[in-house]
Amino acid sequence: MNPNRVSIPVHLRRAFTIIELLSVVVIIGLLASIVTPKLTQLIDKARVARAIGDLRSVSQEIAVRDSLPASLNAIGRGTLRDPWGRPYVYLTLPAAVFPSQPVGARLDRFGVAINSRFDLYSSGRDGLSALSLTAGDSQDDVVVGGDGGDVAVVDARNAVRAGSTLRP
């Protein structure tokens, strides 16, 4: 035996090297960078789906009434929040004489009102909205059209998603 040589205990000889540990950390980091954006997309899609369901439910409750409620409080939905934590927007529209449109109605890309009696929508992830669906602030709104007949999502291409007949 060499007297200058230090004996290393057996349990320490089986440890990972720093290179092996760094390799594992890098692999975990790469996997996390791949998974995180996909997870964010799935969460956003789930929020949009919940908003669509809420708006369909509320618009059906409004449709079965004899007259339009003054607010969502009148149908017991005044505390309902969209998936982003903001209240849903409900506006009754003044009656318009054809061919004019109700003042304050949301407009499609042709400038035509998407509703004639009431507007109901969520201002989406960014919390911003404008009367025209083609405006930048409206690009993530979840809207009810056809006075409760359709619910759709306005996307960045000024197209409407969710299988709706709404015109963007």
Short mmCIF file of all heavy atoms in Angstrom, two decimals, residues 111-136:
data_model
loop_
_atom_site.label_atom_id
_atom_site.label_comp_id
_atom_site.label_asym_id
_atom_site.label_seq_id
_atom_site.Cartn_x
_atom_site.Cartn_y
_atom_site.Cartn_z
N GLY A 111 -69.11 46.29 -41.09
CA GLY A 111 -69.75 47.40 -40.39
C GLY A 111 -71.20 47.14 -40.04
O GLY A 111 -71.96 48.06 -39.75
N VAL A 112 -71.59 45.87 -40.05
CA VAL A 112 -72.96 45.49 -39.74
C VAL A 112 -73.03 45.00 -38.29
O VAL A 112 -72.16 44.25 -37.84
CB VAL A 112 -73.44 44.36 -40.70
CG1 VAL A 112 -74.83 43.89 -40.34
CG2 VAL A 112 -73.36 44.83 -42.14
N ALA A 113 -74.06 45.41 -37.58
CA ALA A 113 -74.22 45.01 -36.18
C ALA A 113 -74.43 43.50 -36.10
O ALA A 113 -75.19 42.93 -36.88
CB ALA A 113 -75.41 45.73 -35.55
N ILE A 114 -73.76 42.84 -35.14
CA ILE A 114 -73.91 41.39 -35.00
C ILE A 114 -75.10 41.05 -34.11
O ILE A 114 -75.52 39.90 -34.06
CB ILE A 114 -72.62 40.73 -34.46
CG1 ILE A 114 -72.25 41.26 -33.09
CG2 ILE A 114 -71.48 40.90 -35.44
CD1 ILE A 114 -71.12 40.51 -32.42
N ASN A 115 -75.64 42.04 -33.42
CA ASN A 115 -76.84 41.87 -32.58
C ASN A 115 -77.76 43.07 -32.79
O ASN A 115 -77.30 44.16 -33.13
CB ASN A 115 -76.46 41.79 -31.09
CG ASN A 115 -75.71 40.53 -30.76
OD1 ASN A 115 -76.21 39.44 -30.95
ND2 ASN A 115 -74.49 40.69 -30.27
N SER A 116 -79.05 42.86 -32.54
CA SER A 116 -79.98 43.98 -32.67
C SER A 116 -80.66 44.33 -31.33
O SER A 116 -81.13 45.44 -31.16
CB SER A 116 -81.06 43.66 -33.71
OG SER A 116 -81.79 42.50 -33.31
N ARG A 117 -80.69 43.38 -30.39
CA ARG A 117 -81.37 43.63 -29.12
C ARG A 117 -80.42 43.80 -27.95
O ARG A 117 -80.64 44.62 -27.07
CB ARG A 117 -82.34 42.48 -28.83
CG ARG A 117 -83.42 42.33 -29.89
CD ARG A 117 -84.31 41.11 -29.66
NE ARG A 117 -84.81 41.08 -28.31
CZ ARG A 117 -84.87 39.97 -27.56
NH1 ARG A 117 -84.45 38.84 -28.03
NH2 ARG A 117 -85.34 40.02 -26.35
N PHE A 118 -79.36 42.96 -27.88
CA PHE A 118 -78.40 43.05 -26.78
C PHE A 118 -77.03 42.57 -27.22
O PHE A 118 -76.91 41.81 -28.18
CB PHE A 118 -78.88 42.24 -25.56
CG PHE A 118 -78.87 40.75 -25.78
CD1 PHE A 118 -77.75 39.99 -25.45
CD2 PHE A 118 -79.98 40.09 -26.29
CE1 PHE A 118 -77.74 38.62 -25.65
CE2 PHE A 118 -79.97 38.72 -26.47
CZ PHE A 118 -78.85 37.98 -26.15
N ASP A 119 -76.01 43.06 -26.54
CA ASP A 119 -74.64 42.58 -26.73
C ASP A 119 -74.19 41.90 -25.44
O ASP A 119 -74.44 42.41 -24.35
CB ASP A 119 -73.68 43.74 -27.03
CG ASP A 119 -73.53 44.01 -28.51
OD1 ASP A 119 -73.86 43.12 -29.32
OD2 ASP A 119 -73.08 45.11 -28.87
N LEU A 120 -73.56 40.76 -25.59
CA LEU A 120 -73.03 40.01 -24.45
C LEU A 120 -71.69 39.45 -24.89
O LEU A 120 -71.60 38.79 -25.92
CB LEU A 120 -73.99 38.87 -24.08
CG LEU A 120 -73.58 37.93 -22.96
CD1 LEU A 120 -73.43 38.67 -21.63
CD2 LEU A 120 -74.61 36.81 -22.82
N TYR A 121 -70.64 39.75 -24.13
CA TYR A 121 -69.31 39.28 -24.53
C TYR A 121 -68.33 39.33 -23.37
O TYR A 121 -68.56 39.99 -22.36
CB TYR A 121 -68.76 40.08 -25.71
CG TYR A 121 -68.59 41.56 -25.46
CD1 TYR A 121 -67.38 42.07 -25.01
CD2 TYR A 121 -69.63 42.45 -25.70
CE1 TYR A 121 -67.22 43.43 -24.80
CE2 TYR A 121 -69.47 43.81 -25.49
CZ TYR A 121 -68.26 44.29 -25.04
OH TYR A 121 -68.10 45.64 -24.82
N SER A 122 -67.21 38.62 -23.58
CA SER A 122 -66.05 38.69 -22.70
C SER A 122 -64.97 39.43 -23.47
O SER A 122 -64.78 39.19 -24.66
CB SER A 122 -65.55 37.29 -22.35
OG SER A 122 -64.25 37.36 -21.80
N SER A 123 -64.26 40.31 -22.80
CA SER A 123 -63.21 41.06 -23.48
C SER A 123 -61.92 40.25 -23.62
O SER A 123 -60.91 40.77 -24.06
CB SER A 123 -62.95 42.39 -22.77
OG SER A 123 -62.70 42.17 -21.41
N GLY A 124 -61.95 39.00 -23.27
CA GLY A 124 -60.83 38.09 -23.53
C GLY A 124 -59.64 38.27 -22.63
O GLY A 124 -59.70 38.95 -21.61
N ARG A 125 -58.55 37.64 -23.03
CA ARG A 125 -57.33 37.59 -22.23
C ARG A 125 -56.77 38.98 -21.94
O ARG A 125 -56.33 39.25 -20.83
CB ARG A 125 -56.30 36.74 -22.97
CG ARG A 125 -54.96 36.63 -22.30
CD ARG A 125 -53.95 35.79 -23.10
NE ARG A 125 -53.75 36.30 -24.44
CZ ARG A 125 -54.12 35.68 -25.57
NH1 ARG A 125 -54.68 34.49 -25.50
NH2 ARG A 125 -53.92 36.21 -26.74
N ASP A 126 -56.79 39.89 -22.95
CA ASP A 126 -56.17 41.20 -22.74
C ASP A 126 -57.07 42.19 -22.01
O ASP A 126 -56.61 43.24 -21.59
CB ASP A 126 -55.68 41.79 -24.07
CG ASP A 126 -56.82 42.09 -25.04
OD1 ASP A 126 -58.00 41.94 -24.68
OD2 ASP A 126 -56.51 42.49 -26.18
N GLY A 127 -58.35 41.89 -21.86
CA GLY A 127 -59.26 42.78 -21.14
C GLY A 127 -59.67 44.01 -21.92
O GLY A 127 -60.33 44.89 -21.39
N LEU A 128 -59.29 44.08 -23.20
CA LEU A 128 -59.61 45.24 -24.04
C LEU A 128 -60.61 44.85 -25.11
O LEU A 128 -60.66 43.72 -25.56
CB LEU A 128 -58.33 45.77 -24.71
CG LEU A 128 -57.19 46.17 -23.76
CD1 LEU A 128 -55.95 46.51 -24.56
CD2 LEU A 128 -57.61 47.33 -22.88
N SER A 129 -61.43 45.82 -25.52
CA SER A 129 -62.43 45.56 -26.53
C SER A 129 -62.77 46.85 -27.27
O SER A 129 -62.56 47.94 -26.75
CB SER A 129 -63.68 44.97 -25.88
OG SER A 129 -64.53 44.47 -26.86
N ALA A 130 -63.30 46.71 -28.46
CA ALA A 130 -63.75 47.84 -29.26
C ALA A 130 -65.05 47.43 -29.95
O ALA A 130 -65.37 46.24 -30.02
CB ALA A 130 -62.69 48.23 -30.28
N LEU A 131 -65.79 48.41 -30.46
CA LEU A 131 -67.07 48.08 -31.11
C LEU A 131 -66.88 47.20 -32.34
O LEU A 131 -67.66 46.31 -32.60
CB LEU A 131 -67.82 49.36 -31.49
CG LEU A 131 -68.44 50.14 -30.34
CD1 LEU A 131 -69.18 51.36 -30.85
CD2 LEU A 131 -69.36 49.26 -29.52
N SER A 132 -65.84 47.47 -33.12
CA SER A 132 -65.60 46.68 -34.33
C SER A 132 -64.82 45.42 -33.97
O SER A 132 -63.82 45.47 -33.26
CB SER A 132 -64.80 47.51 -35.34
OG SER A 132 -64.45 46.70 -36.44
N LEU A 133 -65.28 44.29 -34.51
CA LEU A 133 -64.58 43.02 -34.25
C LEU A 133 -63.22 42.98 -34.93
O LEU A 133 -62.37 42.19 -34.55
CB LEU A 133 -65.42 41.84 -34.73
CG LEU A 133 -66.75 41.62 -34.01
CD1 LEU A 133 -67.44 40.39 -34.58
CD2 LEU A 133 -66.56 41.49 -32.52
N THR A 134 -63.00 43.83 -35.93
CA THR A 134 -61.71 43.84 -36.62
C THR A 134 -60.68 44.73 -35.93
O THR A 134 -59.52 44.72 -36.31
CB THR A 134 -61.88 44.30 -38.08
OG1 THR A 134 -62.46 45.61 -38.09
CG2 THR A 134 -62.74 43.33 -38.86
N ALA A 135 -61.08 45.48 -34.92
CA ALA A 135 -60.14 46.33 -34.19
C ALA A 135 -59.17 45.46 -33.40
O ALA A 135 -59.51 44.37 -32.94
CB ALA A 135 -60.89 47.27 -33.25
N GLY A 136 -57.95 45.94 -33.22
CA GLY A 136 -56.92 45.17 -32.51
C GLY A 136 -57.33 44.78 -31.10
O GLY A 136 -57.01 43.69 -30.64
#
